[in-house]
Amino acid sequence: MSDGDAGRPVEILLAEDNPGDVRLTEKALEKGSVLNNLHVVNDGVEAMAFLRQEGDHGSAPRPDLLLLDLNMPRMDGQEVLAEMKADEELRRIPVVVLTSSAAEEDIVDSYDLHANAYLTKPVDFDGFVDIVGSIEEFWLSVVKRPPR
């Protein structure tokens, strides 16, 4: 975030098809200290439309961070990563894969597609809040992100 952006909310895009995980992420971010706007899409096709400001997402803000689930309908997280990182306009948006999969193949494939981080979702609420809190602290408070 550049100095000129101080005080503005951080724009977060959550690509997640599980309503329970969406609610947990919302609650965890509410507990945090960083002012943010959370935008939610339910599959990879909608994620790409949001990122490209197409269709219903024509006025969508450019996200400062994408939290990406791998297992989604229509277009999975790996496909979203591949498409994003091949696009000059989108490739600099940091992507944190936040998924239930701990499979080594998914981890390796995500990093091969240039994910910035890979985190496995904890099954309990406190663990989920902790992991989202660590994302918030690192990616939204510590890291210098590219300008929008």
Side-chain angles (χ1 to χ4, degrees):
M1 182 147 70
S2 69
D3 293 337
D5 294 332
R8 76 160 172 82
V10 175
E11 302 293 342
I12 302 170
L13 177 59
L14 173 63
E16 172 61 67
D17 64 317
N18 181 319
D21 288 347
V22 170
R23 281 192 302 280
L24 284 174
T25 304
E26 289 170 339
K27 289 192 180 303
L29 287 170
E30 286 170 9
K31 290 181 146 224
S33 60
V34 176
L35 183 61
N36 68 79
N37 291 324
L38 181 65
H39 308 274
V40 179
V41 293
N42 301 110
D43 63 51
V45 171
E46 194 178 353
M48 292 309 302
F50 187 100
L51 291 165
R52 291 189 172 131
Q53 298 174 314
E54 297 172 340
D56 292 341
H57 302 288
S59 61
R62 182 175 183 95
D64 295 299
L65 179 68
L66 169 59
L67 301 178
L68 180 65
D69 186 29
L70 290 184
N71 304 309
M72 295 183 295
R74 297 202 298 162
M75 177 186 234
D76 68 26
Q78 302 282 2
E79 293 169 307
V80 170
L81 259 175
E83 207 166 304
M84 275 185 76
K85 297 305 179 173
D87 185 317
E88 273 189 48
E89 297 296 316
L90 303 175
R91 71 171 53 137
R92 288 189 192 105
I93 297 171
V95 178
V96 174
V97 174
L98 182 59
T99 188
S100 56
S101 173
E104 188 174 303
E105 180 180 3
D106 286 340
I107 296 167
V108 169
D109 288 349
S110 294
Y111 282 116
D112 282 349
L113 292 168
H114 307 288
N116 297 92
Y118 190 103
L119 301 170
T120 304
K121 295 175 192 172
V123 292
D124 63 289
F125 176 73
D126 290 336
F128 201 93
V129 168
D130 288 346
I131 207 159
V132 171
S134 69
I135 292 168
E136 179 186 47
E137 182 178 340
F138 184 73
W139 285 102
L140 307 183
S141 299
V142 176
V143 169
K144 294 290 185 200
R145 295 177 312 279
R148 288 186 195 161

